[in-house]
Amino acid sequence: MRAAWYERKGPAREVLEVGEMDTPEPGPGELRVRLAASGINPADVKLRAGINDYGFNFPRVIPNSDGAGTVDQVGAGVDPTWVGRRVWLYNGQRLGRAFGTAADYIALDAGLVHALPDKLGFAEGATLGIPAMTAHRCVFADGSVTGKTVLVTGGAGAVGHYAVQLAAWGGARVLATVSGEAKAAHALAGGAAAVVNYRQEDVARRVRELTDGEGVDRIVEVDFGGNLATAMGALKRSGTIAIYASDGNPQPQIDARALMALNATLRFVVLNSIPLEARRQAQRDVTRWALGGGLFPVAARFPLDEIVAAHELVESLDKLGTVVVEP
């Protein structure tokens, strides 16, 4: 099969190669997917660049964790009716696996695969996976959001945009922070009731105004360290901050007394390690939501031979949605 890979960490142009590799065979409990689309996450490019290692060290790595395609083989113990089904998948390059979705085929645990609704194209299916499932965990880990107010920081980002949509789907009033007009329109299209431009407004003050002084029940947080003071100013008593990133300040100092006074809950979220049943529920809910008419933003599509440009676009941060490579 054709695949992209790297054998050392570094800039995309220096380390990514495209060529021929052996086609994988599904082992017990696995199935094989003929990939039509590969979604690139920020974590994928950070891993390739050596910014983060996630405990991940292999002599050769096929990048990208999410994807979509058609099951063409199953291993021992897997229901043979999977063969021929359109699917989306997540964590292809995680949990001890070196070979991700930037390839013609991937063989992986059947539990990481879910049926793709016919109404979705493969490129749209490849935008789900880690972004949508992380958003689901952040929104719903502490129960129903019906009738609650949820603040999504970075509401135009990959995880943020799905968090906006899923929270609205779940019955919440959603507020979102954005950095400009285009991103504001993106968040509003996803179901946000109001947006706050964090470059121009005092976010905590504006959130208080939008909630009649009460604050929000939950925050889906893209930068815990960088936004901590704002989050504490916007959070309602007994509220929850669900944290899936903290790049602005990875090791923030927290005011424990102030958080205790708020009776606040801090929930840290990494998809790899959340309970298995929570991941299965996310797969089911994300698929149900997709059938109901969600938005699946594809920022750009590249052929496999142009994977370097695809990774560089993700790193540029100049995109709305997920960058997809199509083997």
Side-chain angles (χ1 to χ4, degrees):
M1 69 174 183
R2 282 177 57 76
W5 68 80
Y6 57 89
E7 296 177 340
R8 59 189 176 91
K9 306 289 182 67
R13 288 187 178 275
E14 296 180 12
V15 302
L16 283 173
E17 302 178 50
V18 176
E20 294 289 332
M21 285 182 59
D22 291 340
T23 302
E25 299 292 332
E30 293 185 336
L31 46 70
R32 188 173 75 181
V33 178
R34 182 178 178 88
L35 290 155
S38 170
I40 307 175
N41 290 285
D44 298 325
V45 298
K46 291 176 182 177
L47 182 59
R48 185 263 307 145
I51 297 172
N52 291 326
D53 65 15
Y54 305 99
F56 201 87
N57 188 22
F58 293 94
R60 172 177 283 190
V61 174
I62 296 176
N64 306 353
S65 300
D66 295 333
T70 303
V71 177
D72 80 323
Q73 284 189 11
V74 297
V78 178
D79 186 345
T81 62
W82 273 108
V83 174
R85 296 177 69 181
R86 301 168 75 252
V87 296
W88 62 277
L89 63 95
Y90 76 100
N91 277 358
Q93 182 208 6
R94 289 291 190 276
L95 303 173
R97 289 188 41 81
F99 293 163
T101 60
D104 287 334
Y105 293 90
I106 185 171
L108 75 171
D109 189 283
L112 299 175
V113 174
H114 201 81
L116 179 68
D118 289 340
K119 65 182 292 183
L120 266 66
F122 289 121
E124 288 77 17
T127 73
L128 299 175
I130 290 174
M133 293 182 66
T134 298
H136 181 278
R137 179 65 173 174
C138 289
V139 171
F140 296 113
D142 293 281
S144 170
V145 295
T146 300
K148 297 186 181 297
T149 302
V150 176
L151 172 65
V152 179
T153 62
V159 174
H161 196 245
Y162 283 137
V164 167
Q165 294 191 71
L166 287 166
W169 176 74
R173 180 186 182 221
V174 185
L175 312 178
T177 67
V178 296
S179 61
E181 292 184 6
K183 292 185 177 181
H186 195 56
L188 290 168
V195 295
V196 181
N197 188 323
Y198 64 81
R199 290 180 175 170
Q200 298 177 352
E201 301 177 84
D202 182 318
V203 174
R205 178 182 299 172
R206 182 60 181 145
V207 166
R208 290 284 173 181
E209 291 173 354
L210 291 167
T211 58
D212 297 324
E214 292 189 1
V216 297
D217 298 284
R218 297 187 192 171
I219 299 175
V220 178
E221 183 55 73
V222 68
D223 186 4
F224 177 59
N227 295 334
L228 180 55
T230 295
M232 292 178 66
L235 190 67
K236 183 186 292 186
R237 191 179 301 273
S238 298
T240 298
I241 306 173
I243 302 144
Y244 67 92
S246 189
D247 290 347
N249 182 0
Q251 296 180 315
Q253 290 186 328
I254 65 171
D255 185 336
R257 289 177 183 265
L259 288 164
M260 290 164 65
L262 278 172
N263 198 34
T265 297
L266 302 182
R267 175 175 291 280
F268 295 90
V269 175
V270 175
L271 182 60
N272 295 350
S273 58
I274 69 173
L276 177 60
E277 181 49 41
R279 284 184 273 135
R280 288 175 173 164
Q281 187 63 52
Q283 288 174 302
R284 294 191 291 267
D285 283 352
V286 165
T287 302
R288 285 176 51 227
W289 158 76
L291 283 168
L295 301 176
F296 316 94
V298 177
R301 298 159 74 157
F302 293 85
L304 184 64
D305 285 338
E306 296 179 19
I307 190 171
V308 169
H311 269 233
E312 289 178 341
L313 179 56
V314 175
E315 290 173 312
S316 76
L317 305 179
D318 186 22
K319 66 181 184 67
L320 286 176
T322 300
V323 175
V324 172
V325 169
E326 296 175 312

